[in-house]
Amino acid sequence: MDRVSSMLSFVKVVDNGGFGSAARQLNLSASVVTTRVKAIEERLGVRLLNRTTRSVSLTEAGRAYYDRCVQILSEIENAEEAAQVLQSRPRGILRLNTSPGIPRLIARSVAEYGVRYPDVTVHLAATSRMLDLVEEGYDLAIWYAATADPGLIVRRIADYRMVICASPEYLARHGRPEHPSELIKHNCVTFYDAPTLGRGGKEWQFSGPEGEFSLQMSGNLETNSAIAFRAAALLGQGIILTPGPLVFDDLKSGALVSILSDFLPKQFSIDAFYPHREHLPAKVRTFIDLLVEDLRQIDWDPRAYNGERSPVTQAVSTSDPRGAPKRANAAVKETDIGRRRR
C-alpha cells in the first residue's frame, strides 16, 4: 500500500475528527480510509487512535506519528511546488554541452539570457564529442551537423553554409583560387576532428558544373582546436574550410575573405539536442527560443560578403526572416548585420 496515501488518510482523520469526514474530503469511501489507517497500525505494531462511536483521539504514539506525518507531507508538497516553479519559470542550473566552435557564436545570446533570466546559471562545456546528456546530467546540447543518440529530441536552430576562406594577406601573396583544383597548390589548414565542424578534414567535398567531387588537401598545420584553426587563417598561414558561423564576424570585418562559395552549395544545420519532449523545463525551452530568435536573423550565406553573392541569390534574399525588407546589395553593411543580430 502507498505509504504517502496512508499517511495522508491518517492525518485527515485526525484533522477532521473522524473517518467519515476524512473520507469525504479525500473523495474516498470510509472503508478505504479505515483500511489504510488499520494497515499503518498493523505495520507499526502500535495503536495510533482511540476510537469511540462518536470521535477519535490520538494515543501518545499516535501524536508522535501524526507530527512526523505532517512534516513529511509538507516536505512533499514543497518539493512538488518547487518542481512546478522550475517548470513554469526559468531558474536553477542550465547544463549545456556544445561543439568547440559554438561558444563564440552564442556568447552574445548567453549573455542576453543571463540578463533576461537572472535566476538561471548557465554551465557550458565545449567538447570534441557530444556528451551523453542523460548519463552525465546535461539538459541540452548545441552542435554543428551532429549525429546524436536516436533517443534524443532534435530541434533545428539555424541553417548555414560551409566556407572556404583565407586572409587578404595570404591571397595577395599566393593568389586567389578560381577552382577547387587550384587548392592543391595552396597551404590548406585542416581540422582532423571533422565531425565537430560539420565537414572538413583532409578530404574536402565540392559540387559544381561537373557534379560532386572531393579533393585531398595538404598543409603544414593539422589541428582539432577551433581556436588554432581560425587563428591560422587570420594570421595568413593558409586556407581553411569551416562552417560559416565560426568565421562570421571575420567575414563581416574583412579579416577573412570567402572564396569558391559556388562550389559549396550544401546547407548544414545547427541543432539543439535534449532528452525529453514532454514537460520540457522552462530554462531549456526559453534558452532554445532565444537562440532561434538570435541566430535566424543572421544571413549565414558567405556570398553576402566579399562581393561573392550572385544576382539570383540576391533576389531570393531581399527580406529577412521577420519580413522586413533589406537591401539586395552584394556586400551587406556591418551596421545592417548588427541590427539583425540585435
Side-chain angles (χ1 to χ4, degrees):
M1 183 177 294
D2 183 356
R3 289 192 179 185
V4 175
S5 298
S6 297
M7 286 181 180
L8 180 60
S9 295
F10 171 71
V11 169
K12 292 298 182 183
V13 168
V14 175
D15 291 344
N16 289 276
F19 289 86
S21 299
R24 285 191 293 273
Q25 192 170 86
L26 293 170
N27 198 27
L28 297 171
S29 67
S31 61
V32 169
V33 175
T34 300
T35 299
R36 287 180 176 179
V37 174
K38 283 184 177 180
I40 297 175
E41 291 178 322
E42 290 174 1
R43 186 177 71 252
L44 299 179
V46 298
R47 177 178 289 278
L48 299 176
L49 296 171
N50 291 315
R51 302 165 176 83
T52 69
T53 56
R54 294 188 177 182
S55 65
V56 295
S57 61
L58 287 167
T59 64
E60 183 179 359
R63 168 57 64 182
Y65 185 72
Y66 171 82
D67 291 341
R68 294 302 301 271
C69 284
V70 169
Q71 181 180 354
I72 291 170
L73 292 172
S74 177
E75 289 294 329
I76 292 173
E77 184 176 353
N78 290 340
E80 291 181 345
E81 288 179 356
Q84 289 173 337
V85 167
L86 286 173
Q87 182 68 20
S88 61
R89 186 176 65 193
R91 62 187 306 166
I93 299 176
L94 175 64
R95 292 174 58 81
L96 173 64
N97 174 231
T98 74
S99 49
I102 289 289
R104 182 172 178 271
L105 173 66
I106 67 173
R108 201 171 302 175
S109 298
V110 171
E112 182 180 351
Y113 187 82
V115 172
R116 289 192 189 183
Y117 306 106
D119 291 334
V120 179
T121 298
V122 178
H123 172 89
L124 193 159
T127 56
S128 60
R129 288 287 186 271
M130 186 184 295
L131 300 178
D132 186 320
L133 302 187
V134 175
E135 183 70 23
E136 302 191 50
Y138 278 78
D139 300 295
L140 178 66
I142 307 294
W143 279 69
Y144 292 112
T147 301
D149 187 295
L152 297 177
I153 306 301
V154 183
R155 179 177 173 185
R156 178 164 291 193
I157 300 296
D159 292 314
Y160 69 91
R161 288 177 179 268
M162 297 298 289
V163 181
I164 299 177
C165 58
S167 69
E169 293 76 18
Y170 176 90
L171 295 176
R173 290 197 310 268
H174 301 283
R176 179 176 181 137
E178 300 297 332
H179 188 275
S181 59
E182 298 175 31
L183 290 172
I184 299 175
K185 303 175 183 178
H186 285 264
N187 190 47
C188 295
V189 177
T190 56
F191 197 94
Y192 63 77
D193 193 11
T196 63
L197 289 182
R199 294 291 174 90
K202 290 185 177 181
E203 186 175 352
W204 292 8
Q205 307 292 323
F206 302 96
S207 179
E210 60 267 56
E212 295 185 357
F213 59 98
S214 62
L215 295 172
Q216 198 77 8
M217 300 302 162
S218 62
N220 62 5
L221 176 62
E222 301 174 8
T223 179
N224 69 343
S225 165
I227 295 174
F229 183 67
R230 172 174 166 265
L234 288 170
L235 296 173
Q237 183 172 355
I239 296 175
I240 62 172
L241 170 65
T242 176
L246 186 63
V247 292
F248 178 73
D249 291 333
D250 304 318
L251 294 174
K252 286 196 302 179
S253 68
L256 292 177
V257 177
S258 172
I259 60 175
L260 301 173
S261 293
D262 288 336
F263 292 91
L264 296 170
K266 291 184 178 180
Q267 295 238 351
F268 298 93
S269 63
I270 300 172
D271 298 311
F273 302 86
Y274 50 92
H276 306 291
R277 185 185 301 275
E278 294 183 0
H279 308 303
L280 188 65
K283 61 184 178 181
V284 176
R285 184 183 67 253
T286 52
F287 186 80
I288 293 174
D289 289 344
L290 178 60
L291 285 185
V292 171
E293 177 185 344
D294 283 352
L295 299 187
R296 288 191 177 175
Q297 295 180 58
I298 301 172
D299 187 349
W300 294 118
D301 190 340
R303 290 171 293 187
Y305 313 101
N306 313 133
E308 281 202 316
R309 174 169 282 181
S310 66
V312 173
T313 309
Q314 291 181 39
V316 171
S317 303
T318 54
S319 62
D320 69 17
R322 295 187 177 183
K326 70 181 181 185
R327 290 165 293 179
N329 293 339
V332 179
K333 293 184 179 179
E334 184 172 348
T335 53
D336 295 333
I337 296 296
R339 189 176 300 119
R340 288 204 295 275
R341 277 208 67 138
R342 301 178 59 191

